Amino acid sequence: MESLLLPIRQFLCCATPGAWIELARQPQSQSLILQDHLLCELKAAQSAAWLLRRYVLDERSSQRLQACLAPYSATVYQPQRLAQLPRPELSVSELSRRHGGVGSEALLEKMVRLIKEELHHFNQVHQLMQSRGIAVQPLSASRYASGLLAEVRTFEPQALVDKLIIGAYIEARSCERFAALAPHLDGELQRFYLSLLRSEARHFEDYLVLARQISPEIIDPRIEVIGARERQLILSADTQFRFHSGVPTPSRSPAAVTPQSS
Ligand SMILES: [Fe+2]
Ligand SMILES: [Fe+2]
């Protein structure tokens, strides 16, 4: 496990603050963390799908991808609609390309695999929530992803490169938090979070490989800029408590967090 975590910790500019772990480990935080984790898995799949629709796929294949994700979104946003989730069936060979730009084949191959894995994680979290009687509820998003996306440059291919580096940071932080939280959780959650580390660890590297392949210049300065922003979001006070939130403000408690009404 340590060998998986070493490159992640070297990539991230800071560790998760103790105050976040302290709040997240409380029994009354567990349902909120699981609900937000479920949303994180969905968003990870949606972001990868968005990259494919925006940069690679033709219209028909974009719709095919949307249809593949639709039951998962419905589970979160219209939970009364669905009792059983399908297996995520998707393959590179059934998707056709609109563009053949630099790195587009690698982007397609890595993102299709990542989407399937994230949807599988979604299924796992969903089942765990069902077995614990935790209802699926949409939550308002934390400031984390939008704070990182504010760093994206406005011209291509640099905008895509920045989005890929941000994808790497989100994946790496998720891994680091699974590892930080796992020792404080019950046996089932502990085993589950540690099992997720394996595939999530590779996701962060997949994003970085793609960014290096697509960028016309060395990406290290962008890794530094986005890493500094990520560090600031993790280490500064945050009024919201979520899986990727910053340092909880003293008044925060999980009970004080209100689910989104929509
Ligand atoms: Fe995942
Ligand atoms: Fe992931």
Side-chain angles (χ1 to χ4, degrees), residues 99-119:
H99 290 309
V102 178
S104 64
E105 282 306 308
L107 189 64
L108 181 61
E109 189 202 308
K110 286 195 192 305
M111 290 299 107
V112 165
R113 191 169 63 175
L114 186 139
I115 289 166
K116 288 163 76 173
E117 288 175 356
E118 302 298 10
L119 294 178

mmCIF file of all heavy atoms in Angstrom, residues 99-119:
data_model
loop_
_atom_site.group_PDB
_atom_site.id
_atom_site.type_symbol
_atom_site.label_atom_id
_atom_site.label_comp_id
_atom_site.label_asym_id
_atom_site.label_seq_id
_atom_site.Cartn_x
_atom_site.Cartn_y
_atom_site.Cartn_z
ATOM 1 N N HIS A 99 -12.785 13.588 -34.256
ATOM 2 C CA HIS A 99 -11.463 14.190 -34.417
ATOM 3 C C HIS A 99 -10.388 13.144 -34.261
ATOM 4 O O HIS A 99 -10.531 12.203 -33.504
ATOM 5 C CB HIS A 99 -11.203 15.221 -33.313
ATOM 6 C CG HIS A 99 -12.031 16.436 -33.448
ATOM 7 N ND1 HIS A 99 -12.120 17.146 -34.595
ATOM 8 C CD2 HIS A 99 -12.823 17.074 -32.552
ATOM 9 C CE1 HIS A 99 -12.925 18.178 -34.405
ATOM 10 N NE2 HIS A 99 -13.381 18.145 -33.176
ATOM 11 N N GLY A 100 -9.291 13.345 -34.923
ATOM 12 C CA GLY A 100 -8.127 12.474 -34.734
ATOM 13 C C GLY A 100 -6.936 13.300 -34.292
ATOM 14 O O GLY A 100 -5.840 13.137 -34.822
ATOM 15 N N GLY A 101 -7.147 14.213 -33.356
ATOM 16 C CA GLY A 101 -6.065 15.105 -32.893
ATOM 17 C C GLY A 101 -5.010 14.369 -32.084
ATOM 18 O O GLY A 101 -5.152 13.168 -31.816
ATOM 19 N N VAL A 102 -3.953 15.100 -31.692
ATOM 20 C CA VAL A 102 -2.863 14.506 -30.920
ATOM 21 C C VAL A 102 -3.413 13.884 -29.642
ATOM 22 O O VAL A 102 -4.133 14.525 -28.879
ATOM 23 C CB VAL A 102 -1.813 15.587 -30.538
ATOM 24 C CG1 VAL A 102 -0.691 14.984 -29.693
ATOM 25 C CG2 VAL A 102 -1.267 16.256 -31.781
ATOM 26 N N GLY A 103 -3.096 12.621 -29.439
ATOM 27 C CA GLY A 103 -3.475 11.952 -28.193
ATOM 28 C C GLY A 103 -4.920 11.496 -28.134
ATOM 29 O O GLY A 103 -5.355 10.968 -27.105
ATOM 30 N N SER A 104 -5.694 11.669 -29.223
ATOM 31 C CA SER A 104 -7.125 11.367 -29.098
ATOM 32 C C SER A 104 -7.390 9.860 -28.924
ATOM 33 O O SER A 104 -8.316 9.471 -28.220
ATOM 34 C CB SER A 104 -7.927 11.936 -30.262
ATOM 35 O OG SER A 104 -7.542 11.323 -31.455
ATOM 36 N N GLU A 105 -6.569 9.014 -29.555
ATOM 37 C CA GLU A 105 -6.766 7.561 -29.373
ATOM 38 C C GLU A 105 -6.476 7.155 -27.931
ATOM 39 O O GLU A 105 -7.210 6.369 -27.328
ATOM 40 C CB GLU A 105 -5.864 6.768 -30.331
ATOM 41 C CG GLU A 105 -6.376 6.705 -31.756
ATOM 42 C CD GLU A 105 -7.803 6.181 -31.872
ATOM 43 O OE1 GLU A 105 -8.108 5.112 -31.326
ATOM 44 O OE2 GLU A 105 -8.627 6.872 -32.500
ATOM 45 N N ALA A 106 -5.386 7.710 -27.377
ATOM 46 C CA ALA A 106 -5.033 7.389 -25.985
ATOM 47 C C ALA A 106 -6.101 7.937 -25.037
ATOM 48 O O ALA A 106 -6.478 7.288 -24.055
ATOM 49 C CB ALA A 106 -3.667 7.981 -25.646
ATOM 50 N N LEU A 107 -6.598 9.141 -25.347
ATOM 51 C CA LEU A 107 -7.653 9.746 -24.517
ATOM 52 C C LEU A 107 -8.890 8.836 -24.521
ATOM 53 O O LEU A 107 -9.467 8.544 -23.464
ATOM 54 C CB LEU A 107 -8.001 11.136 -25.071
ATOM 55 C CG LEU A 107 -8.918 12.026 -24.240
ATOM 56 C CD1 LEU A 107 -8.293 12.403 -22.910
ATOM 57 C CD2 LEU A 107 -9.275 13.307 -25.012
ATOM 58 N N LEU A 108 -9.266 8.383 -25.701
ATOM 59 C CA LEU A 108 -10.442 7.517 -25.823
ATOM 60 C C LEU A 108 -10.245 6.223 -25.029
ATOM 61 O O LEU A 108 -11.102 5.842 -24.217
ATOM 62 C CB LEU A 108 -10.691 7.205 -27.305
ATOM 63 C CG LEU A 108 -11.903 6.339 -27.619
ATOM 64 C CD1 LEU A 108 -13.192 7.000 -27.157
ATOM 65 C CD2 LEU A 108 -11.983 6.045 -29.113
ATOM 66 N N GLU A 109 -9.113 5.597 -25.222
ATOM 67 C CA GLU A 109 -8.871 4.302 -24.576
ATOM 68 C C GLU A 109 -8.846 4.441 -23.047
ATOM 69 O O GLU A 109 -9.506 3.701 -22.323
ATOM 70 C CB GLU A 109 -7.540 3.746 -25.085
ATOM 71 C CG GLU A 109 -7.273 2.334 -24.659
ATOM 72 C CD GLU A 109 -5.794 2.020 -24.702
ATOM 73 O OE1 GLU A 109 -5.149 2.259 -25.746
ATOM 74 O OE2 GLU A 109 -5.298 1.563 -23.669
ATOM 75 N N LYS A 110 -8.110 5.439 -22.555
ATOM 76 C CA LYS A 110 -7.978 5.583 -21.096
ATOM 77 C C LYS A 110 -9.285 6.063 -20.462
ATOM 78 O O LYS A 110 -9.649 5.632 -19.363
ATOM 79 C CB LYS A 110 -6.842 6.560 -20.754
ATOM 80 C CG LYS A 110 -5.460 5.954 -20.970
ATOM 81 C CD LYS A 110 -4.392 6.791 -20.292
ATOM 82 C CE LYS A 110 -2.971 6.426 -20.694
ATOM 83 N NZ LYS A 110 -2.600 5.032 -20.520
ATOM 84 N N MET A 111 -9.995 6.963 -21.128
ATOM 85 C CA MET A 111 -11.228 7.490 -20.533
ATOM 86 C C MET A 111 -12.355 6.449 -20.537
ATOM 87 O O MET A 111 -13.152 6.402 -19.604
ATOM 88 C CB MET A 111 -11.672 8.768 -21.251
ATOM 89 C CG MET A 111 -10.769 9.964 -21.013
ATOM 90 S SD MET A 111 -10.646 10.482 -19.271
ATOM 91 C CE MET A 111 -8.990 9.930 -18.842
ATOM 92 N N VAL A 112 -12.432 5.609 -21.560
ATOM 93 C CA VAL A 112 -13.463 4.561 -21.570
ATOM 94 C C VAL A 112 -13.223 3.602 -20.402
ATOM 95 O O VAL A 112 -14.149 3.242 -19.659
ATOM 96 C CB VAL A 112 -13.495 3.812 -22.924
ATOM 97 C CG1 VAL A 112 -14.279 2.505 -22.808
ATOM 98 C CG2 VAL A 112 -14.130 4.693 -23.990
ATOM 99 N N ARG A 113 -11.959 3.222 -20.205
ATOM 100 C CA ARG A 113 -11.654 2.323 -19.086
ATOM 101 C C ARG A 113 -11.972 2.992 -17.747
ATOM 102 O O ARG A 113 -12.555 2.391 -16.851
ATOM 103 C CB ARG A 113 -10.175 1.901 -19.145
ATOM 104 C CG ARG A 113 -9.883 0.765 -18.175
ATOM 105 C CD ARG A 113 -8.537 0.168 -18.398
ATOM 106 N NE ARG A 113 -7.477 1.145 -18.150
ATOM 107 C CZ ARG A 113 -6.180 0.856 -18.174
ATOM 108 N NH1 ARG A 113 -5.785 -0.344 -18.460
ATOM 109 N NH2 ARG A 113 -5.280 1.782 -17.920
ATOM 110 N N LEU A 114 -11.596 4.269 -17.659
ATOM 111 C CA LEU A 114 -11.836 4.996 -16.410
ATOM 112 C C LEU A 114 -13.341 5.131 -16.129
ATOM 113 O O LEU A 114 -13.787 4.924 -15.001
ATOM 114 C CB LEU A 114 -11.158 6.379 -16.502
ATOM 115 C CG LEU A 114 -11.175 7.224 -15.238
ATOM 116 C CD1 LEU A 114 -9.824 7.929 -15.051
ATOM 117 C CD2 LEU A 114 -12.261 8.279 -15.291
ATOM 118 N N ILE A 115 -14.124 5.441 -17.155
ATOM 119 C CA ILE A 115 -15.581 5.579 -16.968
ATOM 120 C C ILE A 115 -16.157 4.267 -16.424
ATOM 121 O O ILE A 115 -16.939 4.257 -15.469
ATOM 122 C CB ILE A 115 -16.267 5.965 -18.307
ATOM 123 C CG1 ILE A 115 -15.922 7.409 -18.684
ATOM 124 C CG2 ILE A 115 -17.787 5.787 -18.213
ATOM 125 C CD1 ILE A 115 -16.256 7.770 -20.125
ATOM 126 N N LYS A 116 -15.754 3.141 -17.018
ATOM 127 C CA LYS A 116 -16.281 1.849 -16.557
ATOM 128 C C LYS A 116 -15.889 1.586 -15.106
ATOM 129 O O LYS A 116 -16.690 1.084 -14.316
ATOM 130 C CB LYS A 116 -15.773 0.730 -17.467
ATOM 131 C CG LYS A 116 -16.445 0.756 -18.829
ATOM 132 C CD LYS A 116 -15.719 -0.032 -19.859
ATOM 133 C CE LYS A 116 -15.889 -1.512 -19.733
ATOM 134 N NZ LYS A 116 -15.269 -2.223 -20.879
ATOM 135 N N GLU A 117 -14.647 1.929 -14.762
ATOM 136 C CA GLU A 117 -14.205 1.690 -13.380
ATOM 137 C C GLU A 117 -14.939 2.599 -12.393
ATOM 138 O O GLU A 117 -15.345 2.170 -11.315
ATOM 139 C CB GLU A 117 -12.689 1.879 -13.277
ATOM 140 C CG GLU A 117 -11.957 0.729 -13.945
ATOM 141 C CD GLU A 117 -10.443 0.899 -13.992
ATOM 142 O OE1 GLU A 117 -9.934 1.959 -13.571
ATOM 143 O OE2 GLU A 117 -9.786 -0.028 -14.477
ATOM 144 N N GLU A 118 -15.129 3.872 -12.769
ATOM 145 C CA GLU A 118 -15.821 4.797 -11.858
ATOM 146 C C GLU A 118 -17.280 4.365 -11.666
ATOM 147 O O GLU A 118 -17.820 4.458 -10.566
ATOM 148 C CB GLU A 118 -15.769 6.238 -12.371
ATOM 149 C CG GLU A 118 -14.370 6.823 -12.596
ATOM 150 C CD GLU A 118 -13.514 6.928 -11.351
ATOM 151 O OE1 GLU A 118 -13.878 6.385 -10.286
ATOM 152 O OE2 GLU A 118 -12.442 7.549 -11.441
ATOM 153 N N LEU A 119 -17.909 3.881 -12.745
ATOM 154 C CA LEU A 119 -19.300 3.425 -12.613
ATOM 155 C C LEU A 119 -19.370 2.152 -11.767
ATOM 156 O O LEU A 119 -20.331 1.950 -11.010
ATOM 157 C CB LEU A 119 -19.938 3.207 -13.999
ATOM 158 C CG LEU A 119 -20.109 4.489 -14.838
ATOM 159 C CD1 LEU A 119 -20.709 4.153 -16.201
ATOM 160 C CD2 LEU A 119 -20.971 5.535 -14.132
#
